[in-house]
């Protein structure tokens, strides 16, 4: 991994952390109208997703690597289905617009993690599970394994070249990022519940 790719991934991580800060600063939970709150939340996450995707590490022409699947999975886990659909549609539209050989896989790594995040939220709500650091880390690892699984669908001549290039950040850095941002969002959610 060269310096420019490391800087791109560092910038992506900073944008992920800004999700928690911005969401808390805007106090979106205080909006009483759920449809309006979902719309604004989805647009906020979508705009952050577009920012993440515009600072991607380009592995090869049309092959972009960033933290979009971490962002959309956390959106599903903390903000719900409607914001995830809005943000996901924005991110998939940009990825299809960029084109290239990785367009299909680039879209799948938005759709699948977003669905997993929503499913995880549903399960944790109905089983009354607390999202501690271990569960958030396990969630992050599951998301990364799904993203790597999607990468197996790339053209054969690129598949293992791309996986070898991204395996270290995907396995060692991204689950920790997911856990840290998840802990920030959980803490904010718990604080808002206590205040209300």
């Amino acid at each position: 991994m060269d310096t420019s790719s490391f800087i791109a991934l560092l910038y992506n991580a900073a944008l992920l952390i800004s999700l928690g800060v911005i969401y808390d600063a805007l106090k979106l939970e205080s909006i009483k109208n759920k449809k309006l709150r979902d719309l604004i939340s989805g647009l906020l996450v979508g705009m952050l997703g577009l920012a993440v995707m515009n600072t991607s590490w380009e592995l090869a022409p049309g092959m972009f690597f960033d933290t979009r699947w971490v962002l959309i999975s956390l959106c599903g886990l903390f903000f719900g289905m409607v914001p995830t659909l809005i943000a996901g549609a924005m991110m998939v539209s940009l990825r299809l617009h960029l084109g290239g050989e990785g367009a299909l896989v680039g879209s799948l790594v938005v759709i699948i993690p977003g669905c997993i995040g929503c499913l995880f939220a549903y399960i944790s709500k109905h089983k009354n599970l607390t999202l501690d650091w271990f569960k958030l880390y396990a969630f992050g690892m599951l998301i990364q394994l799904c993203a790597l699984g999607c990468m197996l669908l790339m053209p054969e001549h690129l598949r293992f070249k791309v996986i070898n290039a991204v395996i270290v950040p995907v396995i060692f850095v991204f689950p920790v990022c997911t856990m840290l941002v998840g802990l920030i969002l959980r803490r904010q959610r718990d604080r808002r519940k206590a205040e209300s």
Side-chain angles (χ1 to χ4, degrees):
M1 184 181 294
D2 59 13
T3 306
S4 64
S5 58
F6 178 75
I7 290 170
L9 291 179
L10 197 62
Y11 187 69
N12 270 215
L15 284 170
L16 281 177
I17 292 169
S18 73
L19 170 65
V21 175
I22 292 169
Y23 194 80
D24 194 44
L26 292 177
K27 300 197 182 307
L28 295 180
E29 285 297 317
S30 64
I31 299 173
K32 302 290 184 217
N33 185 329
K34 186 176 179 349
K35 289 180 182 176
L36 179 62
R37 185 174 64 237
D38 285 349
L39 175 66
I40 294 172
S41 299
L43 291 173
L44 168 69
V45 175
M47 286 187 288
L48 276 172
L50 299 182
V52 160
M53 293 171 71
N54 280 315
T55 57
S56 294
W57 167 26
E58 190 167 7
L59 294 163
M63 307 285 299
F64 304 101
F65 181 71
D66 50 53
T67 57
R68 78 188 84 140
W69 55 83
V70 175
L71 179 65
I72 198 71
S73 67
L74 288 168
C75 181
L77 183 58
F78 286 97
F79 304 143
M81 186 178 296
V82 173
T84 304
L85 287 171
I86 294 168
M90 291 170 70
M91 293 159 74
V92 168
S93 297
L94 176 61
R95 187 59 195 94
L96 292 175
H97 173 73
L98 293 173
E101 289 187 276
L104 172 65
V105 172
S107 299
L108 284 177
V109 297
V110 172
I111 296 166
I112 294 172
C115 292
I116 292 171
C118 291
L119 180 64
F120 227 79
Y122 178 82
I123 291 169
S124 66
K125 182 178 179 181
H126 286 79
K127 298 274 186 186
N128 206 18
L129 301 174
T130 55
L131 293 173
D132 58 12
W133 71 269
F134 182 75
K135 286 185 187 79
L136 286 167
Y137 181 82
F139 172 74
M141 187 59 79
L142 173 65
I143 295 299
Q144 304 323 310
L145 293 174
C146 288
L148 284 173
C150 289
M151 289 178 195
L152 291 172
L153 299 173
M154 281 193 269
E156 196 173 336
H157 66 284
L158 290 170
R159 186 178 304 155
F160 293 108
K161 178 184 170 189
V162 169
I163 290 173
N164 286 337
V166 303
I167 191 103
V168 171
V170 165
I171 294 298
F172 296 107
V173 178
F174 285 13
V176 174
C177 257
T178 307
M179 178 192 70
L180 292 174
V181 177
L183 286 172
I184 291 168
L185 291 170
R186 190 206 69 195
R187 184 175 172 219
Q188 291 171 353
R189 185 180 67 186
D190 292 349
R191 194 188 74 230
R192 284 192 299 268
K193 278 184 183 176
E195 286 171 355
S196 63

